[in-house]
Amino acid sequence: PDDDGEQPSRFLDELGHPVQHRVGRPRRPLSMPGLVAELRRTAADPAQPAPLREAAAARLRLLATTQVHGRSVASGADPGTWWGLRSPSRSVQAVRPEGKPVTLSASALEGLLTCPAQWFLDREAGGAVVSTASQGFGKVVHALAERVAKGELAATTVADLMPHVDEVWDRMEFRTPWSRAREREAVEQVLARFLAWHQRPGARAVVALEPRIKAEVTLPDGQVVALSGYADRLELDEAGQVVVVDLKTGKYPPTDKSLPENPQLGLYQLAVDHGAADHLVGRPVTAGGAELVQLRHGDTQPKVQQQPASPPHIESQLQQAVAAVRTEAFVARPGTHCDRCAFTTLCPAFASGSVLS
């Protein structure tokens, strides 16, 4: 194979096969890899006649076992090197201990529903990447929003908050100088929308900021799941129910149509219904809905996306996630999230991916 080139071998004439010049591309590359590829394709094609497939398999076996000077002439002919023929691997130790509830956070549930393979590589296999500029952006906004809500910062306009942004802005990493300036303008707009929303007339009473949400829930299939996470805000509505509020600084909000099935908000609401906020309010309470406040979107006020109370899909979503963890079936699930995935080079859903089973 190392000697394959554009010119035919000079030994063809000696072997009684004179070179014939033809116009156009050949049906396959006239090389050893091209021959192996055609044989593999023929042997694996159920539409081909059985004798032809058997003959192709015999040729592959001959090529796989032939060596010249101790070197295989066609290593790709060996089925042991083919993608998809290895049996799935399983860990000696279970991903989650048997006999104990599976603990799921809101982000873990969303990750397992979006792409189990991505979640496993990111969270369990230690493949998480370092914080990006967008994550730093969100941390700055959330920290200031919490301090304003607690009354630690007396801010009436965004000009009162920008000095606090500038204290840390130069320590954050950005790809280019112009993106640093552009993102500073964006954070100023985000904070202005937050203040307008936080100070709006008729705003609900804030019960807790960044509270730890914990609850154990028995699912319809009998599995017990421990729900865990941190909500940005818990607020009380006029009916005395708890509304879960999550502040978002991302550029790509979910569609309004998908909000009833949003797993993050659904998990928080289910946890509240099972007593996660009782100690914060001082009495048994139920969830009265949930909201995503999209601070990057909207005019003077941010865009608010609402999920109604008691979302119907959350229990089935939890069952699906728990089943993936228990069976360790971390399959790749392609979608729009692949555009921002750090593991495409490992993913079996892409032609560039290596064997991952």
Short mmCIF file of all heavy atoms in Angstrom, two decimals, residues 144-194:
data_model
loop_
_atom_site.label_atom_id
_atom_site.label_comp_id
_atom_site.label_asym_id
_atom_site.label_seq_id
_atom_site.Cartn_x
_atom_site.Cartn_y
_atom_site.Cartn_z
N LEU A 144 -24.55 39.17 40.95
CA LEU A 144 -25.09 40.51 41.18
C LEU A 144 -26.60 40.46 41.41
O LEU A 144 -27.13 41.19 42.25
CB LEU A 144 -24.76 41.41 40.00
CG LEU A 144 -23.27 41.78 39.85
CD1 LEU A 144 -23.05 42.60 38.60
CD2 LEU A 144 -22.79 42.56 41.08
N ALA A 145 -27.30 39.61 40.66
CA ALA A 145 -28.75 39.49 40.84
C ALA A 145 -29.09 39.01 42.25
O ALA A 145 -30.04 39.50 42.87
CB ALA A 145 -29.32 38.53 39.80
N GLU A 146 -28.30 38.08 42.77
CA GLU A 146 -28.55 37.58 44.13
C GLU A 146 -28.31 38.67 45.17
O GLU A 146 -29.09 38.84 46.11
CB GLU A 146 -27.67 36.37 44.40
CG GLU A 146 -27.91 35.74 45.76
CD GLU A 146 -27.03 34.52 46.00
OE1 GLU A 146 -26.27 34.14 45.08
OE2 GLU A 146 -27.09 33.95 47.11
N ARG A 147 -27.23 39.44 44.99
CA ARG A 147 -26.92 40.49 45.96
C ARG A 147 -27.97 41.60 45.93
O ARG A 147 -28.32 42.17 46.97
CB ARG A 147 -25.53 41.06 45.69
CG ARG A 147 -24.40 40.06 45.93
CD ARG A 147 -23.05 40.72 45.78
NE ARG A 147 -22.83 41.74 46.81
CZ ARG A 147 -21.80 42.57 46.83
NH1 ARG A 147 -20.89 42.50 45.85
NH2 ARG A 147 -21.66 43.46 47.79
N VAL A 148 -28.49 41.91 44.75
CA VAL A 148 -29.55 42.92 44.65
C VAL A 148 -30.81 42.42 45.33
O VAL A 148 -31.47 43.15 46.10
CB VAL A 148 -29.83 43.25 43.17
CG1 VAL A 148 -31.11 44.09 43.04
CG2 VAL A 148 -28.66 44.02 42.57
N ALA A 149 -31.19 41.16 45.10
CA ALA A 149 -32.40 40.61 45.70
C ALA A 149 -32.28 40.52 47.22
O ALA A 149 -33.29 40.67 47.93
CB ALA A 149 -32.68 39.23 45.11
N LYS A 150 -31.08 40.28 47.72
CA LYS A 150 -30.88 40.21 49.17
C LYS A 150 -30.81 41.59 49.82
O LYS A 150 -30.82 41.69 51.05
CB LYS A 150 -29.59 39.45 49.48
CG LYS A 150 -29.68 37.95 49.25
CD LYS A 150 -28.36 37.28 49.62
CE LYS A 150 -28.45 35.77 49.48
NZ LYS A 150 -27.16 35.10 49.82
N GLY A 151 -30.71 42.63 49.00
CA GLY A 151 -30.58 43.97 49.54
C GLY A 151 -29.16 44.35 49.90
O GLY A 151 -28.94 45.40 50.53
N GLU A 152 -28.19 43.56 49.50
CA GLU A 152 -26.79 43.87 49.78
C GLU A 152 -26.27 44.98 48.88
O GLU A 152 -25.30 45.66 49.23
CB GLU A 152 -25.93 42.63 49.62
CG GLU A 152 -26.28 41.52 50.59
CD GLU A 152 -25.47 40.25 50.34
OE1 GLU A 152 -24.64 40.24 49.41
OE2 GLU A 152 -25.68 39.26 51.07
N LEU A 153 -26.90 45.15 47.71
CA LEU A 153 -26.53 46.23 46.79
C LEU A 153 -27.76 47.10 46.57
O LEU A 153 -28.80 46.62 46.13
CB LEU A 153 -26.05 45.67 45.44
CG LEU A 153 -24.71 44.93 45.44
CD1 LEU A 153 -24.41 44.40 44.04
CD2 LEU A 153 -23.58 45.85 45.89
N ALA A 154 -27.63 48.36 46.86
CA ALA A 154 -28.72 49.30 46.64
C ALA A 154 -28.61 49.83 45.22
O ALA A 154 -27.98 50.86 44.97
CB ALA A 154 -28.67 50.43 47.66
N ALA A 155 -29.21 49.13 44.29
CA ALA A 155 -29.10 49.49 42.88
C ALA A 155 -30.47 49.85 42.34
O ALA A 155 -31.41 49.06 42.41
CB ALA A 155 -28.51 48.33 42.09
N THR A 156 -30.59 51.06 41.82
CA THR A 156 -31.83 51.49 41.17
C THR A 156 -31.67 51.54 39.66
O THR A 156 -32.65 51.43 38.93
CB THR A 156 -32.24 52.88 41.69
OG1 THR A 156 -31.16 53.80 41.48
CG2 THR A 156 -32.57 52.82 43.18
N THR A 157 -30.45 51.74 39.18
CA THR A 157 -30.19 51.74 37.75
C THR A 157 -28.99 50.84 37.47
O THR A 157 -28.24 50.47 38.38
CB THR A 157 -29.88 53.16 37.22
OG1 THR A 157 -28.65 53.62 37.78
CG2 THR A 157 -31.01 54.13 37.58
N VAL A 158 -28.80 50.51 36.19
CA VAL A 158 -27.70 49.64 35.83
C VAL A 158 -26.35 50.31 36.07
O VAL A 158 -25.33 49.63 36.27
CB VAL A 158 -27.84 49.19 34.36
CG1 VAL A 158 -27.59 50.36 33.41
CG2 VAL A 158 -26.92 48.04 34.04
N ALA A 159 -26.33 51.63 36.09
CA ALA A 159 -25.08 52.34 36.37
C ALA A 159 -24.56 52.03 37.76
O ALA A 159 -23.35 52.12 38.02
CB ALA A 159 -25.27 53.84 36.20
N ASP A 160 -25.45 51.65 38.67
CA ASP A 160 -25.01 51.29 40.03
C ASP A 160 -24.33 49.93 40.07
O ASP A 160 -23.59 49.65 41.02
CB ASP A 160 -26.23 51.27 40.98
CG ASP A 160 -26.92 52.63 41.07
OD1 ASP A 160 -26.21 53.65 41.00
OD2 ASP A 160 -28.16 52.65 41.19
N LEU A 161 -24.56 49.10 39.06
CA LEU A 161 -24.02 47.75 39.06
C LEU A 161 -22.75 47.60 38.22
O LEU A 161 -21.93 46.71 38.48
CB LEU A 161 -25.07 46.76 38.54
CG LEU A 161 -26.33 46.60 39.39
CD1 LEU A 161 -27.28 45.63 38.74
CD2 LEU A 161 -25.98 46.13 40.79
N MET A 162 -22.58 48.44 37.20
CA MET A 162 -21.45 48.26 36.29
C MET A 162 -20.09 48.39 36.97
O MET A 162 -19.13 47.71 36.57
CB MET A 162 -21.57 49.21 35.12
CG MET A 162 -22.72 48.86 34.18
SD MET A 162 -22.76 47.12 33.68
CE MET A 162 -21.25 47.01 32.70
N PRO A 163 -19.90 49.23 37.99
CA PRO A 163 -18.60 49.24 38.67
C PRO A 163 -18.23 47.88 39.26
O PRO A 163 -17.06 47.49 39.28
CB PRO A 163 -18.77 50.30 39.77
CG PRO A 163 -19.81 51.23 39.23
CD PRO A 163 -20.75 50.35 38.48
N HIS A 164 -19.23 47.13 39.73
CA HIS A 164 -18.96 45.80 40.27
C HIS A 164 -18.59 44.83 39.14
O HIS A 164 -17.77 43.92 39.35
CB HIS A 164 -20.20 45.29 41.01
CG HIS A 164 -20.60 46.16 42.17
ND1 HIS A 164 -19.95 46.12 43.38
CD2 HIS A 164 -21.58 47.09 42.29
CE1 HIS A 164 -20.52 46.98 44.23
NE2 HIS A 164 -21.51 47.58 43.58
N VAL A 165 -19.17 45.01 37.97
CA VAL A 165 -18.79 44.20 36.82
C VAL A 165 -17.35 44.46 36.43
O VAL A 165 -16.56 43.55 36.19
CB VAL A 165 -19.73 44.48 35.62
CG1 VAL A 165 -19.24 43.76 34.37
CG2 VAL A 165 -21.16 44.07 35.95
N ASP A 166 -16.97 45.75 36.41
CA ASP A 166 -15.62 46.12 35.97
C ASP A 166 -14.54 45.62 36.93
O ASP A 166 -13.38 45.49 36.53
CB ASP A 166 -15.52 47.65 35.82
CG ASP A 166 -16.38 48.16 34.66
OD1 ASP A 166 -16.59 47.38 33.71
OD2 ASP A 166 -16.84 49.31 34.73
N GLU A 167 -14.91 45.33 38.17
CA GLU A 167 -13.93 44.82 39.12
C GLU A 167 -13.39 43.45 38.69
O GLU A 167 -12.25 43.10 38.99
CB GLU A 167 -14.55 44.71 40.51
CG GLU A 167 -14.79 46.04 41.20
CD GLU A 167 -15.39 45.85 42.58
OE1 GLU A 167 -15.46 44.68 43.03
OE2 GLU A 167 -15.79 46.85 43.21
N VAL A 168 -14.22 42.67 37.99
CA VAL A 168 -13.81 41.31 37.62
C VAL A 168 -13.67 41.13 36.11
O VAL A 168 -13.14 40.11 35.67
CB VAL A 168 -14.83 40.27 38.16
CG1 VAL A 168 -14.88 40.31 39.68
CG2 VAL A 168 -16.22 40.49 37.57
N TRP A 169 -14.15 42.08 35.33
CA TRP A 169 -14.22 41.89 33.87
C TRP A 169 -12.85 41.67 33.24
O TRP A 169 -12.69 40.85 32.34
CB TRP A 169 -14.92 43.07 33.23
CG TRP A 169 -15.53 42.75 31.90
CD1 TRP A 169 -15.15 43.17 30.67
CD2 TRP A 169 -16.67 41.90 31.69
NE1 TRP A 169 -15.95 42.66 29.71
CE2 TRP A 169 -16.90 41.86 30.29
CE3 TRP A 169 -17.50 41.16 32.51
CZ2 TRP A 169 -17.94 41.12 29.73
CZ3 TRP A 169 -18.53 40.43 31.96
CH2 TRP A 169 -18.74 40.41 30.58
N ASP A 170 -11.85 42.39 33.70
CA ASP A 170 -10.51 42.25 33.12
C ASP A 170 -9.86 40.92 33.46
O ASP A 170 -8.87 40.53 32.82
CB ASP A 170 -9.61 43.41 33.57
CG ASP A 170 -10.01 44.73 32.93
OD1 ASP A 170 -10.67 44.70 31.87
OD2 ASP A 170 -9.68 45.79 33.50
N ARG A 171 -10.38 40.23 34.47
CA ARG A 171 -9.80 38.94 34.85
C ARG A 171 -10.43 37.78 34.10
O ARG A 171 -9.99 36.64 34.23
CB ARG A 171 -9.94 38.72 36.36
CG ARG A 171 -9.23 39.77 37.20
CD ARG A 171 -8.98 39.27 38.61
NE ARG A 171 -10.20 39.05 39.35
CZ ARG A 171 -10.79 39.95 40.12
NH1 ARG A 171 -10.28 41.16 40.22
NH2 ARG A 171 -11.90 39.65 40.78
N MET A 172 -11.47 38.06 33.31
CA MET A 172 -12.14 37.02 32.54
C MET A 172 -11.48 36.86 31.18
O MET A 172 -10.92 37.81 30.63
CB MET A 172 -13.63 37.36 32.36
CG MET A 172 -14.40 37.35 33.66
SD MET A 172 -16.11 37.93 33.48
CE MET A 172 -16.74 36.77 32.27
N GLU A 173 -11.51 35.63 30.65
CA GLU A 173 -10.86 35.34 29.38
C GLU A 173 -11.87 35.40 28.24
O GLU A 173 -12.96 34.86 28.33
CB GLU A 173 -10.21 33.94 29.41
CG GLU A 173 -9.04 33.83 30.39
CD GLU A 173 -8.37 32.48 30.31
OE1 GLU A 173 -8.81 31.66 29.46
OE2 GLU A 173 -7.43 32.24 31.07
N PHE A 174 -11.45 36.09 27.16
CA PHE A 174 -12.25 36.18 25.95
C PHE A 174 -11.36 35.87 24.76
O PHE A 174 -10.15 36.06 24.80
CB PHE A 174 -12.86 37.58 25.80
CG PHE A 174 -13.86 37.93 26.87
CD1 PHE A 174 -13.45 38.53 28.06
CD2 PHE A 174 -15.20 37.65 26.70
CE1 PHE A 174 -14.37 38.85 29.05
CE2 PHE A 174 -16.14 37.97 27.68
CZ PHE A 174 -15.71 38.56 28.85
N ARG A 175 -11.99 35.39 23.69
CA ARG A 175 -11.21 34.99 22.52
C ARG A 175 -10.56 36.18 21.84
O ARG A 175 -9.44 36.07 21.32
CB ARG A 175 -12.12 34.26 21.52
CG ARG A 175 -12.56 32.88 21.98
CD ARG A 175 -13.42 32.23 20.95
NE ARG A 175 -14.67 32.97 20.74
CZ ARG A 175 -15.58 32.68 19.83
NH1 ARG A 175 -15.37 31.66 19.01
NH2 ARG A 175 -16.69 33.37 19.71
N THR A 176 -11.22 37.32 21.82
CA THR A 176 -10.69 38.50 21.14
C THR A 176 -10.98 39.75 21.97
O THR A 176 -11.93 39.77 22.77
CB THR A 176 -11.33 38.67 19.75
OG1 THR A 176 -12.75 38.82 19.91
CG2 THR A 176 -11.03 37.47 18.85
N PRO A 177 -10.21 40.82 21.78
CA PRO A 177 -10.50 42.08 22.50
C PRO A 177 -11.87 42.65 22.15
O PRO A 177 -12.56 43.20 23.02
CB PRO A 177 -9.36 43.00 22.04
CG PRO A 177 -8.27 42.08 21.61
CD PRO A 177 -8.94 40.88 21.03
N TRP A 178 -12.27 42.53 20.88
CA TRP A 178 -13.57 43.09 20.51
C TRP A 178 -14.72 42.30 21.13
O TRP A 178 -15.78 42.86 21.42
CB TRP A 178 -13.72 43.17 18.99
CG TRP A 178 -13.63 41.86 18.26
CD1 TRP A 178 -12.54 41.33 17.66
CD2 TRP A 178 -14.69 40.93 18.05
NE1 TRP A 178 -12.85 40.12 17.09
CE2 TRP A 178 -14.17 39.85 17.31
CE3 TRP A 178 -16.04 40.90 18.40
CZ2 TRP A 178 -14.93 38.75 16.93
CZ3 TRP A 178 -16.81 39.80 18.02
CH2 TRP A 178 -16.25 38.76 17.30
N SER A 179 -14.53 40.97 21.34
CA SER A 179 -15.60 40.21 21.99
C SER A 179 -15.71 40.59 23.47
O SER A 179 -16.81 40.54 24.04
CB SER A 179 -15.35 38.71 21.85
OG SER A 179 -14.15 38.32 22.49
N ARG A 180 -14.61 40.98 24.09
CA ARG A 180 -14.66 41.47 25.48
C ARG A 180 -15.54 42.72 25.57
O ARG A 180 -16.40 42.83 26.45
CB ARG A 180 -13.25 41.77 25.98
CG ARG A 180 -13.21 42.31 27.42
CD ARG A 180 -11.78 42.73 27.78
NE ARG A 180 -10.88 41.59 27.74
CZ ARG A 180 -10.69 40.74 28.75
NH1 ARG A 180 -11.35 40.92 29.89
NH2 ARG A 180 -9.86 39.74 28.64
N ALA A 181 -15.33 43.66 24.64
CA ALA A 181 -16.13 44.89 24.64
C ALA A 181 -17.59 44.61 24.31
O ALA A 181 -18.51 45.18 24.91
CB ALA A 181 -15.53 45.88 23.65
N ARG A 182 -17.81 43.70 23.36
CA ARG A 182 -19.18 43.37 22.97
C ARG A 182 -19.94 42.71 24.12
O ARG A 182 -21.10 43.03 24.38
CB ARG A 182 -19.16 42.43 21.76
CG ARG A 182 -20.53 42.06 21.22
CD ARG A 182 -20.44 40.91 20.26
NE ARG A 182 -19.94 39.71 20.94
CZ ARG A 182 -19.65 38.57 20.32
NH1 ARG A 182 -19.75 38.49 19.00
NH2 ARG A 182 -19.23 37.52 21.00
N GLU A 183 -19.28 41.79 24.83
CA GLU A 183 -19.94 41.11 25.94
C GLU A 183 -20.17 42.05 27.12
O GLU A 183 -21.13 41.86 27.88
CB GLU A 183 -19.10 39.91 26.38
CG GLU A 183 -19.13 38.75 25.38
CD GLU A 183 -20.51 38.18 25.21
OE1 GLU A 183 -20.94 37.38 26.05
OE2 GLU A 183 -21.20 38.57 24.24
N ARG A 184 -19.33 43.06 27.28
CA ARG A 184 -19.58 44.03 28.35
C ARG A 184 -20.85 44.83 28.05
O ARG A 184 -21.63 45.12 28.96
CB ARG A 184 -18.39 44.98 28.52
CG ARG A 184 -18.52 45.87 29.76
CD ARG A 184 -17.42 46.91 29.84
NE ARG A 184 -17.56 47.73 31.03
CZ ARG A 184 -18.43 48.74 31.13
NH1 ARG A 184 -19.22 49.04 30.11
NH2 ARG A 184 -18.51 49.45 32.25
N GLU A 185 -21.05 45.17 26.79
CA GLU A 185 -22.29 45.84 26.42
C GLU A 185 -23.48 44.92 26.66
O GLU A 185 -24.54 45.37 27.13
CB GLU A 185 -22.25 46.24 24.94
CG GLU A 185 -21.23 47.33 24.62
CD GLU A 185 -21.19 47.63 23.13
OE1 GLU A 185 -22.00 47.03 22.39
OE2 GLU A 185 -20.36 48.46 22.71
N ALA A 186 -23.29 43.63 26.38
CA ALA A 186 -24.38 42.67 26.58
C ALA A 186 -24.72 42.51 28.06
O ALA A 186 -25.90 42.44 28.43
CB ALA A 186 -24.01 41.33 25.97
N VAL A 187 -23.70 42.46 28.92
CA VAL A 187 -23.97 42.29 30.35
C VAL A 187 -24.66 43.52 30.91
O VAL A 187 -25.50 43.43 31.82
CB VAL A 187 -22.67 41.96 31.12
CG1 VAL A 187 -21.83 43.20 31.38
CG2 VAL A 187 -22.98 41.27 32.44
N GLU A 188 -24.36 44.70 30.36
CA GLU A 188 -25.03 45.92 30.80
C GLU A 188 -26.52 45.86 30.45
O GLU A 188 -27.38 46.21 31.26
CB GLU A 188 -24.38 47.14 30.16
CG GLU A 188 -24.92 48.47 30.67
CD GLU A 188 -24.14 49.65 30.14
OE1 GLU A 188 -23.26 49.45 29.27
OE2 GLU A 188 -24.39 50.78 30.60
N GLN A 189 -26.84 45.36 29.25
CA GLN A 189 -28.23 45.23 28.84
C GLN A 189 -28.95 44.17 29.67
O GLN A 189 -30.12 44.35 30.06
CB GLN A 189 -28.29 44.87 27.36
CG GLN A 189 -27.74 45.94 26.43
CD GLN A 189 -27.59 45.44 25.01
OE1 GLN A 189 -27.88 44.28 24.71
NE2 GLN A 189 -27.12 46.31 24.12
N VAL A 190 -28.25 43.08 29.97
CA VAL A 190 -28.84 42.01 30.77
C VAL A 190 -29.18 42.51 32.17
O VAL A 190 -30.28 42.24 32.69
CB VAL A 190 -27.87 40.81 30.83
CG1 VAL A 190 -28.24 39.87 31.98
CG2 VAL A 190 -27.89 40.05 29.51
N LEU A 191 -28.28 43.22 32.78
CA LEU A 191 -28.52 43.73 34.14
C LEU A 191 -29.64 44.77 34.15
O LEU A 191 -30.41 44.85 35.11
CB LEU A 191 -27.23 44.31 34.71
CG LEU A 191 -26.15 43.28 35.04
CD1 LEU A 191 -24.85 43.97 35.44
CD2 LEU A 191 -26.60 42.34 36.16
N ALA A 192 -29.73 45.58 33.09
CA ALA A 192 -30.82 46.55 33.00
C ALA A 192 -32.17 45.84 32.93
O ALA A 192 -33.15 46.25 33.58
CB ALA A 192 -30.62 47.45 31.78
N ARG A 193 -32.24 44.75 32.14
CA ARG A 193 -33.50 43.99 32.07
C ARG A 193 -33.82 43.35 33.41
O ARG A 193 -34.99 43.29 33.82
CB ARG A 193 -33.39 42.92 30.99
CG ARG A 193 -33.32 43.46 29.57
CD ARG A 193 -33.47 42.33 28.55
NE ARG A 193 -33.14 42.79 27.21
CZ ARG A 193 -31.97 42.58 26.61
NH1 ARG A 193 -31.02 41.89 27.25
NH2 ARG A 193 -31.74 43.03 25.40
N PHE A 194 -32.78 42.84 34.09
CA PHE A 194 -33.03 42.22 35.40
C PHE A 194 -33.60 43.22 36.38
O PHE A 194 -34.58 42.92 37.10
CB PHE A 194 -31.74 41.62 35.96
CG PHE A 194 -31.86 41.26 37.42
CD1 PHE A 194 -32.58 40.14 37.82
CD2 PHE A 194 -31.31 42.08 38.40
CE1 PHE A 194 -32.73 39.83 39.17
CE2 PHE A 194 -31.44 41.77 39.74
CZ PHE A 194 -32.16 40.64 40.13
#
